[in-house]
Amino acid sequence: MSTEMQTPVSPTTGQPFELPPRRGLGGRLYHGETSIDFYGRRWWGIVLSIVLLLLTFGSLLINGLNLGIDFEGGVSWEVPSAQMTINDARVVLEAQGIRVDGAKIQERTSTAGKNLLIQVENQTQEKQQSVRQALADKAGVQEKDVSSNSVSSTWGSSITEKAVRALIVFLVLVALFIAWRFEWRMALGALVATIHDVLISVGVYSVFGFEVTPATVVSFLTILGFSLYDTIVVFDKVKENDSRYANSRAPYGDVVNVSMNQVLMRSLNTSIAAGLPVLSLLVLGSEIMGANTLRDYALALLIGLITGSYSSIFIATPILAILKDRLPKYKNRPEHATGDDLERLVLGAMPANRTERVRSRSRSTLSITDVAEAMAPAAPKAVLTHPPRPRKKKRRGS
């Protein structure tokens, strides 16, 4: 690639673009005037994602996923725990002949008070009733206050199969749409970013041991839409600037950097606006009101919003830039702009090579005309508005 770099110029005057007074970081971010070299740091995000994916696969191999009762099948009891602890629940299970090492016992808090959620493998109806009565006696409550639920493992397998099928169909349709609306390179970048979001979200659940429930699966499918929306917003701006610089020799890095800086605040605003209600669901709905289903749903959504915002900036667009740089039309072009030159482009300046070429053509045309006019003989200036009268001849000798 050529190391030539020219200062961007004004699209109207062709003179070097003058930067306005510099705002603070917050002001530049708010007005879309940042000049971050995303293209120059494109490998940073990719390398970070590779590290996170390796951690994800390693955690899945070692820890696996903490699948809920809906996927593994089994029996659960929910017991008011005002007078009962987790150790008390283990004692009851051992007394009933149920293995404690495979049981999941969680203490939950809500506005109604504390309760214990106990999950074990499948048991007979008689055993379920016997454990329910023993838990009620230990907690000092009536049997009807202890809720019981039984789920078959085949139901969880059916949910997983349908979720995977829906995910595959979704990705294929989205890839076809983006390839038709934009181009196949953008479709590939969007697909890689979407799969990246799902894998990283699964990795977070595996590393921290969060329980995977049907609400989690629904959330994963929901975050795909947000991730693709943010990616398409960025790609639309990239396509717009690519058309704007079509007649110049600007490198594709300039197209990427200008587009990313122009939509950065929009992406952040979208993520924050979407994250605040999800965070409210997680804090108010789960921790305060004790709605456990809301907790499972909101937690997966929050993780997906973070990964989706990250991937649209640091995964999808860098992959597009890497693929575009391989095209012959983008080879042997000047280095991409950085610093003040990049800021001029973000604020509306045009690459110098295009404007200079247009101005040089204009000067060439004008100089030829001026030379032709200068070499032409000057026309006499008209003084009279009517033809002169003939002179009378004087007589001699008079």
Side-chain angles (χ1 to χ4, degrees):
M1 180 179 288
S2 173
T3 57
E4 173 191 5
M5 183 184 295
Q6 293 178 322
T7 300
V9 296
S10 170
T12 55
T13 64
Q15 300 298 321
F17 189 91
E18 294 295 333
L19 289 174
R22 182 66 63 88
R23 308 176 193 266
L25 177 60
R28 283 183 287 138
L29 183 62
Y30 179 78
H31 291 89
E33 298 174 356
T34 55
S35 55
I36 303 173
D37 186 9
F38 290 100
Y39 178 82
R41 300 178 176 91
R42 61 191 181 278
W43 288 106
W44 292 17
I46 294 177
V47 170
L48 177 60
S49 293
I50 292 174
V51 172
L52 293 177
L53 289 175
L54 291 176
L55 290 176
T56 294
F57 293 134
S59 179
L60 289 174
L61 290 175
I62 298 173
N63 302 326
L65 286 173
N66 182 18
L67 297 177
I69 188 174
D70 298 294
F71 293 97
E72 291 187 329
V75 185
S76 66
W77 298 274
E78 193 164 355
V79 189
S81 59
Q83 302 178 3
M84 187 175 180
T85 64
I86 294 178
N87 289 330
D88 293 336
R90 290 197 179 100
V91 171
V92 172
L93 293 179
E94 289 176 347
Q96 295 293 324
I98 298 176
R99 292 189 310 166
V100 179
D101 55 350
K104 298 177 183 178
I105 306 176
Q106 298 175 340
E107 188 176 48
R108 299 184 175 185
T109 304
S110 66
T111 54
K114 294 183 178 180
N115 58 72
L116 290 179
L117 179 63
I118 306 167
Q119 297 178 349
V120 299
E121 58 189 9
N122 282 321
Q123 304 293 328
T124 62
Q125 287 291 337
E126 293 78 8
K127 180 65 70 174
Q128 294 179 33
Q129 187 64 29
S130 176
V131 173
R132 182 179 181 183
Q133 183 62 55
L135 290 172
D137 295 339
K138 190 68 174 180
V141 297
Q142 297 182 5
E143 183 182 348
K144 65 179 181 180
D145 295 329
V146 179
S147 61
S148 177
N149 184 32
S150 177
V151 179
S152 172
S153 58
T154 57
W155 188 78
S157 301
S158 177
I159 291 180
T160 305
E161 181 182 350
K162 291 178 180 179
V164 172
R165 189 185 307 125
L167 177 62
I168 294 175
V169 173
F170 176 82
L171 292 177
V172 170
L173 292 178
V174 165
L176 292 176
F177 171 77
I178 297 178
W180 168 75
R181 177 64 178 81
F182 297 101
E183 59 173 299
W184 69 266
R185 295 175 186 84
M186 291 185 176
L188 180 59
L191 278 181
V192 172
T194 303
I195 296 173
H196 161 274
D197 295 342
V198 174
L199 292 177
I200 295 298
S201 300
V202 171
V204 171
Y205 268 73
S206 176
V207 170
F208 292 98
F210 297 141
E211 185 178 15
V212 179
T213 65
T216 306
V217 176
V218 173
S219 298
F220 283 164
L221 296 178
T222 304
I223 63 178
L224 298 182
F226 174 82
S227 175
L228 285 169
Y229 166 77
D230 209 25
T231 301
I232 289 177
V233 167
V234 176
F235 281 172
D236 189 64
K237 179 59 70 172
V238 170
K239 182 180 180 182
E240 176 185 333
N241 285 319
D242 193 17
S243 300
R244 184 168 174 240
Y245 298 162
N247 295 327
S248 70
R249 293 190 67 253
Y252 202 74
D254 285 349
V255 178
V256 170
N257 277 337
V258 171
S259 303
M260 296 298 300
N261 282 282
Q262 289 176 344
V263 302
L264 178 60
M265 192 61 201
R266 178 175 179 177
S267 297
L268 292 177
N269 284 336
T270 303
S271 302
I272 293 173
L276 287 178
V278 173
L279 192 61
S280 299
L281 282 177
L282 188 60
V283 175
L284 297 178
S286 172
E287 299 300 328
I288 297 179
M289 301 179 63
N292 297 320
T293 303
L294 289 180
R295 183 201 63 181
D296 298 337
Y297 184 73
L299 180 61
L301 275 182
L302 186 62
I303 295 172
L305 288 175
I306 296 173
T307 57
S309 302
Y310 166 83
S311 66
S312 63
I313 297 175
F314 296 102
I315 300 298
T317 310
I319 289 177
L320 173 65
I322 292 172
L323 294 175
K324 281 284 193 178
D325 280 341
R326 297 177 179 273
L327 296 178
K329 63 179 291 188
Y330 290 110
K331 292 183 177 180
N332 299 322
R333 292 198 173 189
E335 286 286 344
H336 67 282
T338 58
D340 290 343
D341 290 339
L342 174 58
E343 187 174 352
R344 291 184 177 93
L345 291 175
V346 172
L347 294 177
M350 292 298 297
N353 49 8
R354 173 189 177 189
T355 307
E356 288 297 330
R357 188 165 59 252
V358 173
R359 291 179 63 211
S360 64
R361 283 205 305 264
S362 301
R363 285 197 301 266
S364 299
T365 304
L366 291 175
S367 61
I368 294 174
T369 304
D370 292 340
V371 171
E373 291 180 354
M375 293 180 64
K381 295 182 179 180
V383 178
L384 300 177
T385 58
H386 55 81
R389 295 179 180 179
R391 290 183 178 182
K392 292 183 179 181
K393 294 182 179 181
K394 293 183 179 181
R395 295 180 181 180
R396 293 181 180 179
S398 58

